[in-house]
Amino acid sequence: LMDTIIETGEDLLDTVEKERQVVDTLVEAGEPAPTELSAVLEDAIADVRDQYPNATIEAEAPEAVSVMAAPDLRDAIRELLKNAIQHADQPSPAVELLVDLDPESESVRVRISDDAPSIPGNEIDPLFADTDPSAVYHGTGLGLWLVYWIVDICNGTLSFDRTTDDTGNVVTVRLPRATSSC
């Protein structure tokens, strides 16, 4: 019984912290500015590796690519990596982060693939609904909303898919590439 009470209390504290982070992001969001993506990714990956030493995170990205991003982009990447690990149904989850340039759209894609069960529709669908979020939201947390709003502030897009062999999720963050004229 005591373990259940402690776990419930920790879950509530996590929710409150996430809510504070969402409010701070929405209230204090800076304007997107040219940002070196590799530094953001390295920081986010290091934080998550420290928190989840049993997980494997492989990353592949160009050495230098600059995107237009808000200061909270690191939080969005960190949240996606943590979600991939937390929702895996194995003790040593594997996550892959790939960055590539889309020459046609002048954007940069950050794809995070995992080996976790499918993200439930009630977590994803409200993000893209045309109705008031409070009327349709029936998800279990605020993490994907935090990611959605940060990516939106960056003038980017967010999409969800399954791996080609249907063994995991692929979350893609597409960000505008910064040019030297910025």
Side-chain angles (χ1 to χ4, degrees), residues 62-125:
E63 267 188 47
V65 62
S66 189
V67 296
M68 295 301 292
D72 292 332
L73 178 61
R74 179 182 303 109
D75 295 334
I77 300 300
R78 185 183 309 122
E79 185 67 30
L80 290 173
L81 292 171
K82 286 171 55 176
N83 278 350
I85 293 166
Q86 290 172 345
H87 296 288
D89 55 2
Q90 51 208 324
S92 299
V95 179
E96 183 176 74
L97 185 148
L98 297 173
V99 177
D100 64 358
L101 308 176
D102 184 353
E104 291 179 21
S105 66
E106 289 297 314
S107 65
V108 176
R109 287 184 300 211
V110 179
R111 290 180 292 171
I112 297 174
S113 303
D114 63 33
D115 54 3
S118 185
I119 300 170
N122 69 319
E123 296 291 336
I124 298 170
D125 297 343

Side-chain angles (χ1 to χ4, degrees), residues 3 11 24 29 36 52 64 70 87 91 103 105-106 109 113 115 148 157 179:
D3 289 343
D11 289 347
D24 288 349
E36 183 54 47
Y52 299 95
H87 296 288
S105 66
E106 289 297 314
R109 287 184 300 211
S113 303
D115 54 3
Y148 175 84
T157 61
T179 62

Side-chain angles (χ1 to χ4, degrees), residues 10 12-13 26 31 39 41 50-51 54 63 83 91 96 120 122 124 145 178:
E10 288 173 350
L12 286 171
L13 288 174
L26 293 174
E31 288 294 315
L41 298 177
D50 286 346
Q51 196 171 2
N54 290 339
E63 267 188 47
N83 278 350
E96 183 176 74
N122 69 319
I124 298 170
W145 278 107

Side-chain angles (χ1 to χ4, degrees), residues 115-143:
D115 54 3
S118 185
I119 300 170
N122 69 319
E123 296 291 336
I124 298 170
D125 297 343
L127 300 174
F128 305 105
D130 288 334
T131 59
D132 176 18
S134 62
V136 298
Y137 184 61
H138 302 289
T140 57
L142 297 172

